[in-house]
Amino acid sequence: VQLQASGGGLVQAGDSLRLSCVVQGRTSGSYGMGWFRQTPGKEREFVAAISRSGGTIYYADSVKGRFTISKDNAKNTVYLQMNNLKPKDTAVYYCAGDVIYAGEFGEKYDYWGQGTQVTVSS
């Protein structure tokens, strides 16, 4: 199984971006999925997670009301819609997958994508 993240870029504060994570090798409906982010010198930070069915969703407090995680199992893709972006959202964003787990603990995920850079200028 491989996860391919894309959609990052350079935007201004207040703009929106949508990140995508394609699950290759199995259907995304077989996995709980999460998004994490990391900046140099800091620990990886949980952003959002969605269960295999899509029926359970979790968000970090820092992104609630601005970010939306969703999945399209027909396209084997998980999305992270990011609105009202702030400079503090600047990071490399990673998607992660696991056949059982969907939550905030990155160490519980078995599969990781390569990351996509999001830069928000003020």
Side-chain angles (χ1 to χ4, degrees), residues 67-102:
F67 290 12
T68 302
I69 188 171
S70 62
K71 61 183 344 193
D72 184 340
N73 290 334
K75 296 183 178 180
N76 292 335
T77 302
V78 178
Y79 303 99
L80 185 68
Q81 177 66 43
M82 305 185 295
N83 297 330
N84 190 22
L85 282 160
K86 305 178 185 298
K88 65 179 181 179
D89 295 318
T90 296
V92 177
Y93 284 71
Y94 298 89
C95 60
D98 191 83
V99 294
I100 297 175
Y101 182 75

CSV table of all heavy atoms in Angstrom, one decimal, residues 67-102:
chain,number,residue,atom,x,y,z
A,67,PHE,N,-10.8,23.5,8.9
A,67,PHE,CA,-10.4,22.4,8.1
A,67,PHE,C,-11.5,21.3,8.1
A,67,PHE,O,-12.2,21.1,9.1
A,67,PHE,CB,-9.1,21.7,8.7
A,67,PHE,CG,-7.8,22.5,8.5
A,67,PHE,CD1,-7.9,23.9,8.1
A,67,PHE,CD2,-6.6,22.0,8.7
A,67,PHE,CE1,-6.7,24.6,8.0
A,67,PHE,CE2,-5.4,22.7,8.6
A,67,PHE,CZ,-5.5,24.0,8.2
A,68,THR,N,-11.6,20.6,7.0
A,68,THR,CA,-12.6,19.5,6.9
A,68,THR,C,-11.9,18.3,6.2
A,68,THR,O,-11.3,18.5,5.1
A,68,THR,CB,-13.8,20.0,6.0
A,68,THR,OG1,-14.4,21.1,6.6
A,68,THR,CG2,-14.8,18.8,5.9
A,69,ILE,N,-12.0,17.2,6.9
A,69,ILE,CA,-11.5,16.0,6.3
A,69,ILE,C,-12.6,15.2,5.7
A,69,ILE,O,-13.7,15.2,6.3
A,69,ILE,CB,-10.7,15.1,7.4
A,69,ILE,CG1,-10.0,13.9,6.7
A,69,ILE,CG2,-11.6,14.7,8.5
A,69,ILE,CD1,-9.1,13.2,7.7
A,70,SER,N,-12.4,14.6,4.6
A,70,SER,CA,-13.4,13.7,4.0
A,70,SER,C,-12.8,12.7,3.1
A,70,SER,O,-11.6,12.7,2.9
A,70,SER,CB,-14.3,14.6,3.1
A,70,SER,OG,-13.6,15.2,2.0
A,71,LYS,N,-13.5,11.7,2.7
A,71,LYS,CA,-13.0,10.6,1.9
A,71,LYS,C,-14.0,10.2,0.8
A,71,LYS,O,-15.2,10.3,1.0
A,71,LYS,CB,-12.5,9.4,2.7
A,71,LYS,CG,-13.6,8.8,3.5
A,71,LYS,CD,-13.2,7.6,4.4
A,71,LYS,CE,-11.9,7.0,4.2
A,71,LYS,NZ,-11.8,5.7,4.9
A,72,ASP,N,-13.4,9.9,-0.3
A,72,ASP,CA,-14.2,9.4,-1.4
A,72,ASP,C,-13.7,8.0,-1.7
A,72,ASP,O,-12.7,7.8,-2.4
A,72,ASP,CB,-14.1,10.3,-2.6
A,72,ASP,CG,-15.0,9.9,-3.8
A,72,ASP,OD1,-15.4,8.7,-3.9
A,72,ASP,OD2,-15.2,10.7,-4.7
A,73,ASN,N,-14.3,7.0,-1.2
A,73,ASN,CA,-13.8,5.6,-1.3
A,73,ASN,C,-13.9,5.1,-2.8
A,73,ASN,O,-13.1,4.3,-3.1
A,73,ASN,CB,-14.6,4.7,-0.4
A,73,ASN,CG,-14.3,4.9,1.1
A,73,ASN,OD1,-13.2,5.4,1.4
A,73,ASN,ND2,-15.2,4.6,2.0
A,74,ALA,N,-14.8,5.7,-3.5
A,74,ALA,CA,-14.8,5.3,-4.9
A,74,ALA,C,-13.6,5.8,-5.7
A,74,ALA,O,-13.2,5.1,-6.7
A,74,ALA,CB,-16.1,5.9,-5.6
A,75,LYS,N,-13.0,6.8,-5.2
A,75,LYS,CA,-11.7,7.3,-5.8
A,75,LYS,C,-10.5,7.0,-5.0
A,75,LYS,O,-9.4,7.4,-5.3
A,75,LYS,CB,-11.8,8.9,-6.0
A,75,LYS,CG,-12.9,9.3,-6.9
A,75,LYS,CD,-12.9,10.8,-7.1
A,75,LYS,CE,-13.9,11.3,-8.1
A,75,LYS,NZ,-14.0,12.7,-8.3
A,76,ASN,N,-10.7,6.2,-3.9
A,76,ASN,CA,-9.6,5.9,-3.0
A,76,ASN,C,-8.8,7.1,-2.6
A,76,ASN,O,-7.6,7.1,-2.5
A,76,ASN,CB,-8.6,4.9,-3.7
A,76,ASN,CG,-9.3,3.5,-3.9
A,76,ASN,OD1,-10.2,3.2,-3.2
A,76,ASN,ND2,-8.8,2.8,-5.0
A,77,THR,N,-9.5,8.1,-2.2
A,77,THR,CA,-8.9,9.4,-1.9
A,77,THR,C,-9.4,10.0,-0.7
A,77,THR,O,-10.6,10.0,-0.4
A,77,THR,CB,-9.0,10.4,-3.1
A,77,THR,OG1,-8.5,9.8,-4.3
A,77,THR,CG2,-8.3,11.7,-2.8
A,78,VAL,N,-8.5,10.6,0.1
A,78,VAL,CA,-8.9,11.3,1.3
A,78,VAL,C,-8.5,12.8,1.1
A,78,VAL,O,-7.4,13.0,0.6
A,78,VAL,CB,-8.2,10.8,2.6
A,78,VAL,CG1,-8.6,11.6,3.8
A,78,VAL,CG2,-8.6,9.3,2.8
A,79,TYR,N,-9.4,13.7,1.5
A,79,TYR,CA,-9.1,15.1,1.3
A,79,TYR,C,-9.0,15.8,2.6
A,79,TYR,O,-9.6,15.4,3.6
A,79,TYR,CB,-10.3,15.7,0.5
A,79,TYR,CG,-10.5,15.0,-0.8
A,79,TYR,CD1,-11.6,14.1,-1.0
A,79,TYR,CD2,-9.8,15.4,-1.9
A,79,TYR,CE1,-11.8,13.5,-2.2
A,79,TYR,CE2,-10.0,14.7,-3.1
A,79,TYR,CZ,-11.0,13.8,-3.3
A,79,TYR,OH,-11.3,13.2,-4.5
A,80,LEU,N,-8.3,16.9,2.6
A,80,LEU,CA,-8.2,17.9,3.7
A,80,LEU,C,-8.5,19.3,3.1
A,80,LEU,O,-7.6,19.8,2.5
A,80,LEU,CB,-6.9,17.8,4.4
A,80,LEU,CG,-6.9,18.7,5.7
A,80,LEU,CD1,-7.8,18.2,6.8
A,80,LEU,CD2,-5.4,18.8,6.2
A,81,GLN,N,-9.7,19.7,3.3
A,81,GLN,CA,-10.0,21.1,2.8
A,81,GLN,C,-9.6,22.1,3.9
A,81,GLN,O,-10.1,22.0,5.0
A,81,GLN,CB,-11.5,21.2,2.6
A,81,GLN,CG,-12.0,22.6,2.2
A,81,GLN,CD,-11.5,23.0,0.8
A,81,GLN,OE1,-11.4,22.2,-0.1
A,81,GLN,NE2,-11.0,24.2,0.7
A,82,MET,N,-8.8,23.0,3.5
A,82,MET,CA,-8.2,23.9,4.5
A,82,MET,C,-8.7,25.4,4.1
A,82,MET,O,-8.3,25.8,3.1
A,82,MET,CB,-6.7,23.8,4.6
A,82,MET,CG,-6.2,22.4,4.8
A,82,MET,SD,-4.4,22.4,5.0
A,82,MET,CE,-3.9,22.8,3.4
A,83,ASN,N,-9.5,25.9,5.0
A,83,ASN,CA,-10.0,27.3,4.7
A,83,ASN,C,-9.4,28.3,5.7
A,83,ASN,O,-9.0,27.9,6.8
A,83,ASN,CB,-11.5,27.3,4.8
A,83,ASN,CG,-12.2,26.4,3.7
A,83,ASN,OD1,-11.6,26.3,2.6
A,83,ASN,ND2,-13.3,25.9,4.1
A,84,ASN,N,-9.5,29.5,5.4
A,84,ASN,CA,-9.0,30.6,6.3
A,84,ASN,C,-7.6,30.2,6.8
A,84,ASN,O,-7.4,30.3,8.0
A,84,ASN,CB,-10.0,30.8,7.4
A,84,ASN,CG,-9.6,32.0,8.2
A,84,ASN,OD1,-8.9,32.9,7.8
A,84,ASN,ND2,-10.1,32.1,9.5
A,85,LEU,N,-6.7,29.9,5.9
A,85,LEU,CA,-5.4,29.5,6.3
A,85,LEU,C,-4.6,30.6,7.0
A,85,LEU,O,-4.8,31.8,6.7
A,85,LEU,CB,-4.6,29.0,5.1
A,85,LEU,CG,-4.9,27.6,4.7
A,85,LEU,CD1,-4.5,27.4,3.2
A,85,LEU,CD2,-4.3,26.6,5.6
A,86,LYS,N,-3.8,30.3,8.0
A,86,LYS,CA,-3.0,31.2,8.8
A,86,LYS,C,-1.5,30.9,8.6
A,86,LYS,O,-1.2,29.7,8.4
A,86,LYS,CB,-3.5,31.1,10.2
A,86,LYS,CG,-5.0,31.3,10.5
A,86,LYS,CD,-5.3,31.2,11.9
A,86,LYS,CE,-6.8,31.2,12.2
A,86,LYS,NZ,-7.4,32.6,11.8
A,87,PRO,N,-0.7,31.8,8.9
A,87,PRO,CA,0.8,31.5,8.8
A,87,PRO,C,1.2,30.4,9.7
A,87,PRO,O,2.1,29.6,9.3
A,87,PRO,CB,1.4,32.8,9.2
A,87,PRO,CG,0.4,33.9,8.8
A,87,PRO,CD,-0.9,33.3,9.0
A,88,LYS,N,0.5,30.2,10.8
A,88,LYS,CA,0.9,29.1,11.7
A,88,LYS,C,0.5,27.7,11.2
A,88,LYS,O,0.9,26.7,11.7
A,88,LYS,CB,0.2,29.3,13.1
A,88,LYS,CG,-1.3,29.2,13.0
A,88,LYS,CD,-2.0,29.3,14.4
A,88,LYS,CE,-3.5,29.2,14.4
A,88,LYS,NZ,-4.1,29.4,15.7
A,89,ASP,N,-0.2,27.7,10.1
A,89,ASP,CA,-0.6,26.4,9.4
A,89,ASP,C,0.6,26.0,8.5
A,89,ASP,O,0.5,24.9,7.9
A,89,ASP,CB,-1.9,26.6,8.6
A,89,ASP,CG,-3.1,26.8,9.5
A,89,ASP,OD1,-3.2,26.2,10.5
A,89,ASP,OD2,-3.9,27.7,9.1
A,90,THR,N,1.6,26.8,8.3
A,90,THR,CA,2.7,26.5,7.4
A,90,THR,C,3.4,25.2,8.0
A,90,THR,O,3.8,25.2,9.1
A,90,THR,CB,3.7,27.6,7.3
A,90,THR,OG1,3.1,28.7,6.7
A,90,THR,CG2,4.9,27.2,6.6
A,91,ALA,N,3.5,24.2,7.1
A,91,ALA,CA,4.1,22.9,7.5
A,91,ALA,C,4.2,22.0,6.3
A,91,ALA,O,3.6,22.3,5.3
A,91,ALA,CB,3.3,22.3,8.7
A,92,VAL,N,4.9,20.9,6.5
A,92,VAL,CA,4.7,19.8,5.6
A,92,VAL,C,3.6,18.9,6.1
A,92,VAL,O,3.6,18.5,7.3
A,92,VAL,CB,6.0,18.9,5.5
A,92,VAL,CG1,5.8,17.7,4.6
A,92,VAL,CG2,7.2,19.8,5.0
A,93,TYR,N,2.6,18.6,5.3
A,93,TYR,CA,1.5,17.8,5.7
A,93,TYR,C,1.6,16.4,5.2
A,93,TYR,O,1.9,16.2,4.0
A,93,TYR,CB,0.2,18.5,5.1
A,93,TYR,CG,-0.2,19.7,5.9
A,93,TYR,CD1,0.5,20.9,5.8
A,93,TYR,CD2,-1.4,19.7,6.7
A,93,TYR,CE1,0.1,22.0,6.5
A,93,TYR,CE2,-1.8,20.8,7.4
A,93,TYR,CZ,-1.0,21.9,7.3
A,93,TYR,OH,-1.4,23.0,8.0
A,94,TYR,N,1.3,15.5,6.0
A,94,TYR,CA,1.5,14.1,5.7
A,94,TYR,C,0.1,13.4,5.9
A,94,TYR,O,-0.6,13.7,6.9
A,94,TYR,CB,2.5,13.4,6.7
A,94,TYR,CG,3.9,13.9,6.5
A,94,TYR,CD1,4.3,15.0,7.3
A,94,TYR,CD2,4.8,13.3,5.7
A,94,TYR,CE1,5.6,15.4,7.2
A,94,TYR,CE2,6.1,13.8,5.6
A,94,TYR,CZ,6.5,14.9,6.4
A,94,TYR,OH,7.8,15.3,6.3
A,95,CYS,N,-0.2,12.4,5.0
A,95,CYS,CA,-1.4,11.6,5.3
A,95,CYS,C,-0.9,10.2,5.8
A,95,CYS,O,0.3,9.8,5.5
A,95,CYS,CB,-2.2,11.4,4.0
A,95,CYS,SG,-1.4,10.7,2.6
A,96,ALA,N,-1.7,9.6,6.6
A,96,ALA,CA,-1.4,8.3,7.2
A,96,ALA,C,-2.6,7.4,7.1
A,96,ALA,O,-3.7,7.9,7.1
A,96,ALA,CB,-0.9,8.5,8.6
A,97,GLY,N,-2.3,6.1,7.1
A,97,GLY,CA,-3.4,5.1,7.0
A,97,GLY,C,-3.2,3.9,7.9
A,97,GLY,O,-2.0,3.6,8.1
A,98,ASP,N,-4.3,3.3,8.4
A,98,ASP,CA,-4.2,2.1,9.2
A,98,ASP,C,-5.5,1.3,9.0
A,98,ASP,O,-6.6,1.9,8.9
A,98,ASP,CB,-4.0,2.4,10.6
A,98,ASP,CG,-3.6,1.2,11.4
A,98,ASP,OD1,-2.4,0.8,11.4
A,98,ASP,OD2,-4.5,0.6,12.0
A,99,VAL,N,-5.3,0.0,9.0
A,99,VAL,CA,-6.5,-0.8,8.8
A,99,VAL,C,-7.5,-0.8,10.0
A,99,VAL,O,-8.6,-1.2,9.8
A,99,VAL,CB,-6.1,-2.3,8.4
A,99,VAL,CG1,-5.4,-2.4,7.1
A,99,VAL,CG2,-5.3,-2.9,9.5
A,100,ILE,N,-7.0,-0.4,11.1
A,100,ILE,CA,-7.8,-0.4,12.3
A,100,ILE,C,-8.0,1.0,12.9
A,100,ILE,O,-9.1,1.4,13.2
A,100,ILE,CB,-7.2,-1.3,13.4
A,100,ILE,CG1,-7.2,-2.8,12.9
A,100,ILE,CG2,-8.0,-1.2,14.7
A,100,ILE,CD1,-6.5,-3.7,13.8
A,101,TYR,N,-6.9,1.7,13.0
A,101,TYR,CA,-6.9,2.9,13.8
A,101,TYR,C,-7.3,4.2,13.0
A,101,TYR,O,-6.9,4.3,11.8
A,101,TYR,CB,-5.6,3.1,14.4
A,101,TYR,CG,-5.4,4.3,15.3
A,101,TYR,CD1,-6.0,4.3,16.6
A,101,TYR,CD2,-4.7,5.4,14.9
A,101,TYR,CE1,-5.9,5.4,17.4
A,101,TYR,CE2,-4.6,6.5,15.7
A,101,TYR,CZ,-5.2,6.5,17.0
A,101,TYR,OH,-5.1,7.6,17.8
A,102,ALA,N,-8.0,5.1,13.6
A,102,ALA,CA,-8.1,6.5,13.1
A,102,ALA,C,-8.2,7.4,14.3
A,102,ALA,O,-9.2,7.4,15.0
A,102,ALA,CB,-9.4,6.6,12.2
